[in-house]
Amino acid sequence: MRFEIRPYDEADESAVVALWSEVFAYTAPHNQPLNLVRQKRAYEQALFFVALDDRRLVGTVMGGYDGHRGWIYSLAVDPSARGQGIGAELMRRIERQLAELGCRKINLQVLAANSATVDFYRKLGYAVEERVSMGKLLVPPPPEPRDASRP
Ligand SMILES: CC(C)(COP(=O)(O)OP(=O)(O)OC[C@H]1O[C@@H](n2cnc3c(N)ncnc32)[C@H](O)[C@@H]1OP(=O)(O)O)[C@@H](O)C(=O)NCCC(=O)NCCS
């Protein structure tokens, strides 16, 4: 295995922000990668791993655990490094960490449009379950971006 999986380190911050900016292309201000990294680190530190290929950061994964269920999110592999087993190895690492914490079941969400990633997760033993995903904002929604073409 040429690449290395290790816990996130503060020195990885700018490389993670660059990776997520490319892979996830979030637009909402509350999803800005720098905020996401810092909020995660401020709240919980053990469930955040990066993949390095010859010291270049090429992948990330985060997890969450409430003492019962585990969650996995922010799995990303640099497009130039895909298809080499890095995503699968990141998943195995975060699964091991969650299992060590006592977690017995992992959940994750995939955007309905992201069917390719569903196939990836199926290969790793995940199954689509009959659930409805719901969400609610606890803060006011961000303002709509201004349409520059209108007065
Ligand atoms: C999904 C993602 C993490 C996969 O990373 P990767 O390093 O290319 O995956 P791997 O090389 O470890 O692939 C593991 C297995 O899944 C398969 N796989 C990977 N991507 C796949 C795809 N898009 N469609 C079908 N199978 C796929 C591989 O062929 C491999 O199968 P094998 O073991 O039979 O050879 C990567 O494509 C990515 O970052 N996507 C964009 C971000 C994303 O969607 N994240 C998940 C958010 S829910």
Side-chain angles (χ1 to χ4, degrees):
M1 184 171 72
R2 209 183 50 189
F3 49 86
E4 172 198 2
I5 310 286
R6 63 153 171 75
Y8 172 87
D9 180 89
E10 303 303 342
D12 299 324
E13 185 178 88
S14 59
V16 170
V17 168
L19 176 68
W20 289 359
S21 300
E22 177 173 7
V23 172
F24 297 126
Y26 291 130
T27 52
H30 62 273
N31 278 337
Q32 287 313 300
L34 186 60
N35 293 345
L36 300 182
V37 171
R38 291 189 176 170
Q39 285 161 359
K40 172 68 173 172
R41 292 294 285 175
Y43 197 72
E44 194 278 332
Q45 307 218 347
L47 294 167
F48 189 177
F49 294 94
V50 298
L52 302 176
D53 183 354
D54 196 20
R55 288 190 289 177
R56 183 173 75 101
L57 191 143
V58 292
T60 60
V61 68
M62 279 182 177
Y65 182 51
D66 64 8
H68 177 55
R69 288 149 306 200
W71 282 87
I72 287 178
Y73 45 94
S74 301
L75 175 72
V77 173
D78 186 296
S80 70
R82 290 183 189 166
Q84 302 175 55
I86 296 174
E89 199 55 37
L90 280 163
M91 288 295 291
R92 281 192 280 273
R93 186 69 188 82
I94 194 86
E95 286 173 3
R96 199 162 72 238
Q97 189 75 10
L98 284 164
E100 282 171 13
L101 293 172
C103 176
R104 296 163 62 91
K105 167 94 193 299
I106 290 172
N107 297 327
L108 55 82
Q109 291 180 321
V110 180
L111 289 177
N114 197 352
S115 60
T117 303
V118 172
D119 293 338
F120 163 83
Y121 285 126
R122 280 189 203 278
K123 287 205 162 171
L124 300 183
Y126 290 77
V128 175
E129 297 176 328
E130 287 302 315
R131 305 281 189 275
V132 175
S133 179
M134 298 179 75
K136 176 185 174 182
L137 272 177
L138 297 182
V139 294
E144 291 290 323
R146 203 172 156 274
D147 183 348
S149 66
R150 296 176 67 160

